[in-house]
Amino acid sequence: MLGYACMNHTLRDREPPVRCNRDMQKATFEERGPAYASKLALQNVTDLHTTLRWNAKHDLRFYRCTSALVPWNSQFDLADLPDYEAIRAAAERCGALIEREEMRLTFHPDYWCRLGSDSADTRANSIDAVEYHADWLDLMGLDRSPYYGINVHIGATYGDKAATGSRFRDAVSRLSPGARARLTVENDDRESLWSVPELVDALDGTDVPVLFDYHHHTFTDRG
């Protein structure tokens, strides 16, 4: 199964551009609020459907979608947006297309999503991020499984891998069943961080799958 991550330059270069990552800076969100986020989200999800149709036409059936699909979703509940019903309908069309064309769609939350962080605030924000990505997949009507996954890194050790792994497992236990069912964890690209065997050990008892990233693996000397 062939695919790609996030940006389709062929569609982005159209007029008007087709893209799923319309976003805004903090100052803009503070000025214009959830109503503007709602407008951008509707445009993004509508263009996601166009992107998925293009992917299917070109036999590209694996797509890692941008985490900017619903900008600033950490600051509001999706169902409270003024365009929620239109967003939901557009998302359902995306999900139906994904299932009909036997495609996969996954997410990879931003680098700051650290479920094993030594900061309680960062862990709480990271749990929230995984949850709203899961909400987007629910909105599309896709199965709650790693096949439509939310892929993260542990991403750091904070000087103590055992303690970091323990915090990560605790954060996983705090996820909703739907979010937890979609979570996958990927190996890192630095020798000092997390290899596949280390992740398998750290995730023991969680039922969270480990995803092997060969590209990241090649940056290490782990064989």
Side-chain angles (χ1 to χ4, degrees):
M1 183 182 289
L2 295 177
Y4 62 99
C6 299
M7 184 61 69
N8 184 317
H9 287 278
T10 299
L11 296 180
R12 187 184 176 94
D13 290 343
R14 287 183 178 178
E15 188 56 47
V18 175
R19 60 192 185 97
C20 311
N21 65 340
R22 296 170 183 86
D23 203 350
M24 59 182 137
Q25 298 295 319
K26 181 179 181 180
T28 304
F29 179 74
E30 289 175 345
E31 177 185 351
R32 305 188 66 174
Y36 186 52
S38 180
K39 177 182 177 181
L40 296 181
L42 179 56
Q43 290 177 296
N44 285 343
V45 179
T46 299
D47 279 2
L48 174 60
H49 188 266
T50 302
T51 301
L52 292 169
R53 285 194 291 111
W54 188 95
N55 289 353
K57 180 180 178 180
H58 293 84
D59 200 25
L60 297 167
R61 301 187 184 275
F62 197 131
Y63 185 58
R64 193 186 89 190
C65 189
T66 173
S67 288
L69 189 66
V70 182
W72 290 87
N73 197 173
S74 61
Q75 302 302 307
F76 51 79
D77 290 332
L78 195 59
D80 292 337
L81 293 179
D83 298 295
Y84 173 72
E85 290 301 329
I87 293 168
R88 180 183 57 78
E92 287 177 351
R93 288 194 294 273
C94 290
L97 176 60
I98 289 166
E99 292 182 334
R100 184 171 66 251
E101 295 291 342
E102 298 182 338
M103 304 169 79
R104 288 189 67 186
L105 183 141
T106 66
F107 287 102
H108 195 329
D110 291 328
Y111 70 92
W112 52 261
C113 183
R114 300 286 179 88
L115 294 169
S117 173
D118 58 359
S119 161
D121 286 345
T122 298
R123 293 196 301 276
N125 290 337
S126 299
I127 289 170
D128 188 41
V130 174
E131 292 289 354
Y132 62 69
H133 282 79
D135 289 343
W136 303 346
L137 290 162
D138 279 347
L139 211 60
M140 295 180 204
L142 297 173
D143 288 345
R144 292 177 168 181
S145 85
Y147 195 78
Y148 306 110
I150 302 166
N151 186 47
V152 301
H153 292 264
I154 296 184
T157 66
Y158 308 97
D160 188 336
K161 278 190 173 178
T164 301
S166 178
R167 289 191 298 269
F168 189 92
R169 291 190 298 274
D170 179 70
V172 168
S173 74
R174 296 172 186 271
L175 293 171
S176 67
R180 190 164 59 248
R182 292 188 170 110
L183 192 69
T184 62
V185 185
E186 179 179 344
N187 57 298
D188 293 303
D189 59 359
R190 289 165 55 191
E191 195 75 27
S192 61
L193 297 181
W194 295 87
S195 67
V196 168
E198 288 171 328
L199 289 174
V200 170
D201 288 342
L203 297 174
D204 186 41
T206 67
D207 294 327
V208 175
V210 174
L211 186 150
F212 174 58
D213 187 316
Y214 177 76
H215 179 65
H216 287 170
H217 180 73
T218 61
F219 283 94
T220 72
D221 293 322
R222 291 174 174 140

